[in-house]
Amino acid sequence: MLKGNCLLLFLCYFLVQSSSAPLHTLPLAQPHNRPGHDWPRSLASMSTAGRSGGSGGFQRVKRGWVWNQFFVLEEYMGSDPQYVGKLHTDLDKGESAVKYTLSGEGAGTIFTIDQTTGDIHALRSLDREEKPYYTLRAQAVDIETNRPLEPESEFVIKVQDINDNEPKFLEGPYTASVPEMSPVGTYVTKVTATDADDPTYGNSARVVYSILHGQPYFSVDPKTGVIRTALPNMDREVKELYQVLIQAKDMGGQLGGLAGTTTINITLSDVNDNPPRFSKSIFHLRVPESSAVGSAVGRIKAHDLDIGKNAEVDYNIIPGDERGTFDITTNEHNQEGIIILRRPLDYETRKAYTFKVEASNAHLDPRFHSFGPYKDTATVKINILDVDEPPVFSKPSYTMDIHEDTQLGTTIGAVTAQDLDAGSSPVRYSIDWKSDLDSFFDIDPVTGTISISELLDRESIAQHNITVVATKVNNPVLTSRVSVTVHVLDVNEFPPELAIPYETFVCESAKVGQVIQIISAKDQDLPMTGQKFSFKSPQEGLKSKNFTIKDFGNNTAGVVTLRKGFRRRTQEIYHLPVVIEDSGLPVKNSTSTLTIRVCACDSDGALLTCNAEAIFLPVGLSTGALIAILLCIVILLVIVVLYVGVRRQKKKETLMTSKEDIRDNVIHYDDEGGGEEDTHAFDMGTLRNPKAIKENLFRRDVKPEAGAIPRPAIASQDSADIQNFICQRLQEHDGDTSAPPYDSLATYAYEGEGSVAESLSSIESLTGETEEDYDYLNEWGPRFKTLAGIFGERSESQTDITSTTSTTTTENKH
């Protein structure tokens, strides 16, 4: 500000020295707190005086102070406008010739000026926090000519601050956390209060922090607002949440300052400063002996006052349970120790178990190792409860052998089961019928011995699998099952035989000692594995001329030639007996005969033709070609058969569905029906016994209406007078106008033989031209009017009568 004033004085001085005209400056303002201060005179007056005393040159003029700002006090509460300052020029001689004007921010609305005196007033109360200063422009003009007497000058009206705003915590309330057991002075958080007053003027915005509530646990720095712990070893398990009240006061905390408060919720975070502890030293558990392996049989818990991961507990069984019957795991949700069964329990073998369990923290804090071991132990005693269990077999399964020719009632073995419970109930045995549907075996219910009740045949069933059930006498619900396998042993009762029917041939060019066929055998007694067969010729010991059998010792033998020079023309077929023996006890043998055919072969010994094949095969035609020819013949025959069948079927359908048949337009039916004897389509009991007719029956051919009045059925007391009954029904239906003429649904049960009205069908109508009087049809009511008119025309042919009958029948049905 001082530099600006000096610069302004320098410019004024330069203008005075460089201009011969008088310079009039405009003193801008005087401080409003100096009302008695004399206003400095204009440089123009001083310049004029200097010039009048000199001889013709400029003299240095002493300048007065020039004020470039006014001050106005904020929050003014007076009734009169607040005086701000005064504008004056030395050209104003007090003769009311000068008019002062004001423009800029708030001119005329907030600030006003007396045009004659230059006094400036504030029209309303101002708030520095809303706007700290206003920039305005002032000018002095001639009141008559309105010509500016001074250049327009800009000045500032500054709103002077007062302490009207208390400190505020804009971010409150605060939340903070600090670990428990922290040392004194541990940083917690920092709070900041903001004061809207002017920090450059006085102490209105100088804030001092203090703690109103929360001592002696926490402290606050009066200048920075940093909150720290004030007590050592604050324990979360004792108190976890603290509410601290902080005050911020301006005016440096002096009396009369304004204050603001905020709340800080401080939480002590957990540290692992507590070991797990069992609530008791011994846990007693009771476990049924029937508990399944892998199931949870008990729960124990060590309590840890910490939370989160600091409260996680690991459980371990201290070595000492030599059998490893139990194990323990940790439930992650509630930190319980779950005891798991690892081996089956047996009350009769061991009735109690005792072992120790150790609980320790999973996450340790080295700062608190000096507090002691972070673990605890407890003893677990488990008593096994006796459970009524089913009988137990001495073996998990049984295997028995029996020969297939064993007599009925022979014992083949026994099963044993016993009740291991303390009561030792007797056991009864039985065979599950589902496993022995043919009842091959019996079992003694007391001793458990199994015997044969049906003859066994190894060739039919070589192995029987049955199930034996053991039941306790005192509790039949408890049962046990065991599998018994019965092997039926073979008895050598079948002799061996050739494996397949061999078709053996010998080439005409065969040599001496040539093997022309390999043969093998089969036996129904035993499976192929383990069998031993021997082959020989019954002619051994005698001199054979043509063939012999050579046993290879591996259940096969070969047919060997003893000579050469076989000729089809001389002898076409040879028969060679073969004796086959098995290795069973007793030894069984059989003699089979091989048929050997003499055939023509090529130089490599491949078959060309034999006499039997030459009859059927043409020269040069192979077997494959013959098969192809036969297949073609079969296909042609199948096509011919299908074609003939289709032709017959079409002919039959044409006869049945001829469009020229006049009867296609009527309903096809082949039988007239049995009349009263026909009880399949209608219930004839109602007509035969009118007393059985129920009252209030609705018609079945129309949907009943709510407003319809049910018609009582008229029952005839004379069961023979059926004709009168039918006439009554006809009159009833003819007079009913609420339903369409569904005559087919009315009860006309007596149509066939024995009916009073006789048959209306054309099936049994007379084929002759016998004339008949049909006038009685006119008496049957309006529904038979058309029928009466048709039959009344005797000039029509028999064909027209048939067509008319069909039309009438159709009409009655519709």
Side-chain angles (χ1 to χ4, degrees):
M1 184 183 296
L2 182 59
K3 292 181 180 179
N5 293 338
C6 295
L7 180 61
L8 183 60
L9 291 174
F10 177 77
L11 291 176
C12 293
Y13 177 76
F14 178 78
L15 291 174
V16 170
Q17 296 296 330
S18 60
S19 176
S20 59
L23 178 64
H24 302 278
T25 60
L26 184 65
L28 296 180
Q30 69 172 0
H32 66 278
N33 54 355
R34 294 183 180 180
H37 189 272
D38 294 335
W39 285 87
R41 296 301 179 185
S42 167
L43 293 180
S45 301
M46 298 181 181
S47 300
T48 304
R51 284 195 300 271
S52 61
S55 59
F58 290 99
Q59 295 182 359
R60 186 172 183 270
V61 180
K62 182 180 180 180
R63 297 198 57 182
W65 291 105
V66 178
W67 300 92
N68 63 351
Q69 69 180 10
F70 293 94
F71 293 91
V72 58
L73 190 66
E74 71 168 333
E75 304 294 344
Y76 174 72
M77 303 300 294
S79 57
D80 297 331
Q82 183 181 4
Y83 177 76
V84 178
K86 184 180 182 66
L87 294 179
H88 184 74
T89 177
D90 290 342
L91 297 179
D92 186 1
K93 303 302 183 180
E95 298 175 355
S96 300
V98 178
K99 181 176 69 173
Y100 297 94
T101 63
L102 190 65
S103 64
E105 295 178 338
T109 57
I110 301 177
F111 301 101
T112 182
I113 186 171
D114 190 311
Q115 295 182 356
T116 303
T117 62
D119 293 332
I120 301 174
H121 291 83
L123 299 178
R124 62 181 178 85
S125 177
L126 302 180
D127 188 358
R128 188 201 68 84
E129 288 72 34
E130 180 180 348
K131 188 174 180 62
Y133 64 90
Y134 298 84
T135 301
L136 296 98
R137 294 179 298 277
Q139 192 172 31
V141 298
D142 187 276
I143 195 172
E144 294 180 357
T145 63
N146 207 28
R147 181 178 60 86
L149 300 178
E150 296 281 358
E152 188 178 50
S153 178
E154 184 178 89
F155 64 98
V156 174
I157 298 178
K158 186 175 182 181
V159 182
Q160 188 173 358
D161 182 57
I162 64 172
N163 189 19
D164 60 340
N165 292 278
E166 74 278 3
K168 294 181 179 180
F169 294 92
L170 302 180
E171 299 179 358
Y174 296 84
T175 301
S177 177
V178 63
E180 63 173 333
M181 311 300 290
S182 296
V184 176
T186 301
Y187 176 86
V188 178
T189 188
K190 180 181 180 180
V191 297
T192 302
T194 303
D195 196 320
D197 292 327
D198 188 1
T200 63
Y201 180 78
N203 294 327
S204 298
R206 181 185 173 191
V207 178
V208 175
Y209 300 94
S210 61
I211 184 168
L212 299 181
H213 178 72
Q215 295 175 334
Y217 306 104
F218 300 95
S219 63
V220 62
D221 188 292
K223 295 182 179 180
T224 62
V226 175
I227 299 174
R228 302 179 183 273
T229 59
L231 280 181
N233 300 328
M234 287 190 292
D235 193 356
R236 185 199 65 84
E237 288 72 33
V238 176
K239 186 176 181 180
E240 182 178 6
L241 181 63
Y242 294 84
Q243 194 173 65
V244 179
L245 185 62
I246 300 296
Q247 182 190 66
K249 190 174 184 180
D250 58 11
M251 298 299 293
Q254 298 178 6
L255 186 64
L258 303 179
T261 60
T262 187
T263 301
I264 307 173
N265 296 313
I266 301 176
T267 303
L268 296 183
S269 59
D270 184 65
V271 297
N272 192 9
D273 59 338
N274 293 279
R277 290 288 183 264
F278 285 105
S279 59
K280 52 187 177 180
S281 59
I282 300 178
F283 291 87
H284 292 276
L285 301 177
R286 292 186 294 179
V287 179
E289 63 174 334
S290 60
S291 299
V293 174
S295 62
V297 297
R299 297 173 183 268
I300 62 175
K301 185 174 183 179
H303 298 274
D304 194 324
L305 297 178
D306 297 323
I307 59 175
K309 68 176 184 178
N310 297 322
E312 294 180 0
V313 180
D314 289 337
Y315 296 91
N316 294 286
I317 295 178
I318 298 176
D321 184 10
E322 68 284 353
R323 297 187 59 188
T325 308
F326 300 96
D327 195 3
I328 189 168
T329 60
T330 302
N331 188 331
E332 297 180 356
H333 299 288
N334 55 14
Q335 301 302 313
E336 284 185 339
I338 304 175
I339 299 176
I340 307 297
L341 181 63
R342 292 304 180 193
R343 291 184 179 180
L345 300 176
D346 187 8
Y347 174 80
E348 288 71 27
T349 303
R350 187 169 180 178
K351 297 179 174 58
Y353 293 85
T354 301
F355 52 88
K356 289 187 177 181
V357 176
E358 180 183 79
S360 58
N361 276 140
H363 305 280
L364 299 179
D365 194 331
R367 295 179 300 171
F368 306 105
H369 284 175
S370 59
F371 287 12
Y374 277 73
K375 61 179 64 177
D376 195 13
T377 59
T379 301
V380 179
K381 290 186 177 182
I382 298 179
N383 294 322
I384 308 303
L385 302 178
D386 186 24
V387 176
D388 198 5
E389 299 174 302
V392 178
F393 283 95
S394 60
K395 296 180 180 180
S397 62
Y398 293 85
T399 302
M400 301 176 184
D401 297 331
I402 186 66
H403 287 88
E404 60 180 336
D405 59 351
T406 305
Q407 296 180 356
L408 299 181
T410 302
T411 300
I412 62 174
V415 296
T416 304
Q418 59 179 343
D419 182 14
L420 300 180
D421 293 331
S424 185
S425 171
V427 179
R428 296 293 180 262
Y429 304 94
S430 62
I431 296 178
D432 188 355
W433 65 272
K434 295 181 181 179
S435 64
D436 188 20
L437 296 176
D438 295 327
S439 301
F440 285 102
F441 306 96
D442 282 335
I443 189 170
D444 189 289
V446 178
T447 62
T449 56
I450 302 174
S451 59
I452 301 173
S453 60
E454 294 289 341
L455 290 177
L456 303 178
D457 185 9
R458 191 207 65 81
E459 285 71 34
S460 298
I461 303 177
Q463 177 178 305
H464 295 266
N465 297 309
I466 62 175
T467 301
V468 176
V469 181
T471 306
K472 295 176 65 171
V473 174
N474 60 359
N475 191 354
V477 178
L478 297 177
T479 61
S480 296
R481 295 171 176 265
V482 69
S483 175
V484 179
T485 302
V486 179
H487 296 287
V488 180
L489 303 180
D490 182 57
V491 175
N492 195 16
E493 55 184 341
F494 295 97
E497 58 185 6
L498 290 175
I500 59 174
Y502 292 98
E503 296 181 359
T504 306
F505 69 92
V506 60
C507 296
E508 290 180 323
S509 59
K511 299 178 180 180
V512 178
Q514 181 178 348
V515 179
I516 62 173
Q517 181 71 57
I518 303 296
I519 61 175
S520 61
K522 63 180 181 179
D523 194 335
Q524 299 182 17
D525 290 318
L526 294 174
M528 292 299 295
T529 57
Q531 289 183 346
K532 182 65 177 177
F533 300 106
S534 61
F535 303 86
K536 64 181 179 179
S537 175
Q539 300 170 347
E540 286 194 6
L542 300 177
K543 187 175 181 180
S544 179
K545 298 180 180 180
N546 299 314
F547 307 97
T548 187
I549 300 298
K550 183 180 180 180
D551 193 346
F552 294 142
N554 58 355
N555 289 344
T556 62
V559 179
V560 182
T561 60
L562 295 178
R563 69 179 180 88
K564 62 179 180 178
F566 294 95
R567 294 291 181 267
R568 287 181 292 170
R569 296 179 180 179
T570 304
Q571 185 176 348
E572 181 182 355
I573 297 175
Y574 293 87
H575 296 284
L576 177 63
V578 180
V579 178
I580 308 173
E581 291 184 354
D582 59 17
S583 58
L585 292 176
V587 176
K588 296 285 185 179
N589 58 46
S590 66
T591 301
S592 301
T593 301
L594 289 175
T595 300
I596 303 174
R597 189 180 300 276
V598 180
C599 301
C601 303
D602 59 11
S603 58
D604 295 330
L607 176 66
L608 291 178
T609 181
C610 296
N611 269 352
E613 295 181 358
I615 299 175
F616 300 99
L617 295 177
V619 178
L621 188 61
S622 64
T623 304
L626 180 60
I627 294 174
I629 292 173
L630 292 176
L631 287 176
C632 292
I633 294 173
V634 171
I635 293 173
L636 289 175
L637 290 175
V638 171
I639 292 175
V640 171
V641 171
L642 292 176
Y643 177 76
V644 172
V646 171
R647 293 283 297 178
R648 289 183 177 179
Q649 182 67 23
K650 287 185 176 180
K651 184 177 181 181
K652 183 178 179 180
E653 291 179 356
T654 302
L655 293 175
M656 293 298 294
T657 59
S658 176
K659 295 184 178 179
E660 296 179 357
D661 190 354
I662 192 172
R663 289 173 296 176
D664 281 346
N665 296 326
V666 299
I667 298 175
H668 291 279
Y669 53 93
D670 300 354
D671 192 6
E672 179 182 1
E676 295 181 358
E677 288 74 17
D678 186 2
T679 60
H680 294 285
F682 302 95
D683 183 8
M684 310 305 296
T686 304
L687 290 177
R688 292 178 179 175
N689 186 10
K691 295 181 179 180
I693 300 177
K694 297 181 181 180
E695 296 182 358
N696 299 331
L697 290 178
F698 295 93
R699 291 184 59 176
R700 293 177 294 173
D701 56 339
V702 294
K703 182 178 179 181
E705 299 179 356
I709 301 176
R711 297 181 299 272
I714 303 175
S716 175
Q717 299 298 327
D718 187 2
S719 59
D721 192 7
I722 301 302
Q723 184 176 2
N724 294 334
F725 172 74
I726 293 177
C727 292
Q728 293 176 2
R729 292 297 301 273
L730 286 174
Q731 293 176 3
E732 178 183 348
H733 287 289
D734 291 338
D736 185 9
T737 60
S738 63
Y742 290 154
D743 289 348
S744 61
L745 295 182
T747 305
Y748 299 103
Y750 292 89
E751 176 189 1
E753 183 180 354
S755 174
V756 177
E758 297 182 352
S759 175
L760 298 179
S761 174
S762 62
I763 295 178
E764 295 183 356
S765 301
L766 297 177
T767 59
E769 298 294 334
T770 305
E771 295 183 358
E772 184 178 354
D773 186 7
Y774 294 99
D775 294 338
Y776 63 89
L777 294 176
N778 294 321
E779 301 175 358
W780 284 16
R783 301 197 180 197
F784 292 90
K785 182 178 181 181
T786 303
L787 186 61
I790 293 174
F791 279 88
E793 299 177 3
R794 300 188 178 184
S795 61
E796 294 183 355
S797 63
Q798 186 65 25
T799 305
D800 296 333
I801 295 175
T802 304
S803 177
T804 305
T805 306
S806 300
T807 305
T808 306
T809 305
T810 305
E811 179 183 276
N812 291 337
K813 290 186 178 181
H814 290 283

